[in-house]
């Protein structure tokens, strides 16, 4: 029976960790994101790329339920934001970890486990991540005594150990040292291999080119290109493809010629 086979196919198809449809986000009278649509598939890493002020953080904050969309929809693991049950499906690492400064990382991990009612594997995953990031010496140090990069690592460990269907990391490599960037790259790949959808916002095009399966390029709050990295690049390095997509390549080349001539 074709109808029954089609119904079974729909039922067995995995739920997408994230579907963003015609998203619009504003800050007062300023529109930060407009008509943005993309989806994050299970087991894939999706990058949101663009310069400062292009709408990356506004997009991610809307995805995790910290900003209310003025239009469009966001579904997390099949549940529409801003439902509490949608937020519970997300492991979020902000670009600027703040709050709870009086806690040490070990206390932060315990708090996250309790707040998110994490499964019994949380402690084992956190232990593995602590070892991977070489973070053991920081576990009993107050968060406000750690460097920005070390605080970000603490935030990453606390979030990644939750093993949620959607992992969201804003400004992925910001403030991290080179070793931590390499560890982050491998950890995100491992999370995707476990079946999570991973969404990262970054200005680090080299990092994005190494790790992302799919990307959306933002300029002034709009998508100027979207697809797999191979589709976006078309044989070019991602840096060149990005500059071409946002219209910056000619301006940069002109400035170079003028500076050489001056």
């Amino acid at each position: 029976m074709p109808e029954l086979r089609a119904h079974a196919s729909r039922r067995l198809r995995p739920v997408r960790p994230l579907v963003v449809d015609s998203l619009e986000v504003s800050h007062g009278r300023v529109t930060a994101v407009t008509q943005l649509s993309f989806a994050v598939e299970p087991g894939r890493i999706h990058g949101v790329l663009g310069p400062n002020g292009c709408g990356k953080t506004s997009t991610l904050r809307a995805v995790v339920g910290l900003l209310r969309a003025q239009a469009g929809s966001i579904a997390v693991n099949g549940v529409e934001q801003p439902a509490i049950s949608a937020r519970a499906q997300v492991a979020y690492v902000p670009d600027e970890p703040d709050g709870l400064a009086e806690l040490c990382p070990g206390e932060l991990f315990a708090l996250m486990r309790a707040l998110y009612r994490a499964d019994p594997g949380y402690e084992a995953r956190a232990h593995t991540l602590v070892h991977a990031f070489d973070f053991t010496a920081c576990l009993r140090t107050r968060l406000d005594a750690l460097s920005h990069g070390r605080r970000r690592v603490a935030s990453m460990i606390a979030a990644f150990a939750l093993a949620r269907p959607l992992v969201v990391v804003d400004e992925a490599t910001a403030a991290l040292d080179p070793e931590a960037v390499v560890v982050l790259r491998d950890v995100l790949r491992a999370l995707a291999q476990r079946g999570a959808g991973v969404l990262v916002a970054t200005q680090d095009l080299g990092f994005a080119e190494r790790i992302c399966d799919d990307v959306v390029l933002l300029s002034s709050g709009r998508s100027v290109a979207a697809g797999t990295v191979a589709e976006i690049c078309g044989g070019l390095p991602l840096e060149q493809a990005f500059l071409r997509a946002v219209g910056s390549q000619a301006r940069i080349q002109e400035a170079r010629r003028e500076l050489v001539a001056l």
Side-chain angles (χ1 to χ4, degrees), residues 64 76 81 83-91 115-116 162 164-166:
V64 303
V76 179
Q81 285 284 26
I84 299 272
S85 54
R87 299 185 191 187
Q89 303 297 311
V90 185
L115 289 175
Y116 279 82
L162 292 170
R164 288 309 194 242
L166 178 63

Side-chain angles (χ1 to χ4, degrees), residues 12 14 18 25 28 32 57 82 90 102-103 128 132 145 159 166 169 173 181 200 206 209-210 212 214 217 241 244 246:
L12 294 172
L18 177 66
V25 178
T57 293
V90 185
E102 72 281 3
L103 300 183
T128 297
L166 178 63
V169 186
T173 61
V181 171
V200 297
E209 190 166 17
R210 290 185 185 94
C212 291
D214 311 286
L217 308 184
R244 182 182 60 187
V246 300

Side-chain angles (χ1 to χ4, degrees), residues 141-226:
T141 303
R142 280 175 51 123
L143 289 168
D144 59 2
L146 294 175
S147 69
H148 184 194
R150 294 276 89 181
R151 290 198 305 275
R152 292 211 74 216
V153 168
S155 180
M156 289 175 179
I157 293 170
F160 296 161
L162 292 170
R164 288 309 194 242
L166 178 63
V167 177
V168 177
V169 186
D170 196 6
E171 293 299 350
T173 61
L176 299 185
D177 61 42
E179 181 180 343
V181 171
V182 173
V183 175
L184 174 62
R185 190 172 66 213
D186 286 349
V187 165
L188 292 180
R189 285 175 177 155
L191 294 173
Q193 283 182 320
R194 294 183 79 251
V198 178
L199 179 65
V200 297
T202 184
Q203 300 179 68
D204 187 339
L205 298 179
F207 178 82
E209 190 166 17
R210 290 185 185 94
I211 196 172
C212 291
D213 301 300
D214 311 286
V215 294
V216 55
L217 308 184
L218 295 186
S219 180
S220 300
R222 294 180 178 273
S223 170
V224 293

Side-chain angles (χ1 to χ4, degrees), residues 22-54:
S22 303
L23 178 66
E24 183 171 318
V25 178
S26 299
H27 302 290
R29 297 182 178 181
V30 178
T31 299
V33 179
T34 185
Q35 288 298 306
L36 179 60
S37 299
F38 65 92
V40 178
E41 303 289 344
R44 293 180 71 83
I45 300 175
H46 198 112
V48 179
L49 314 182
N52 285 334
C54 73

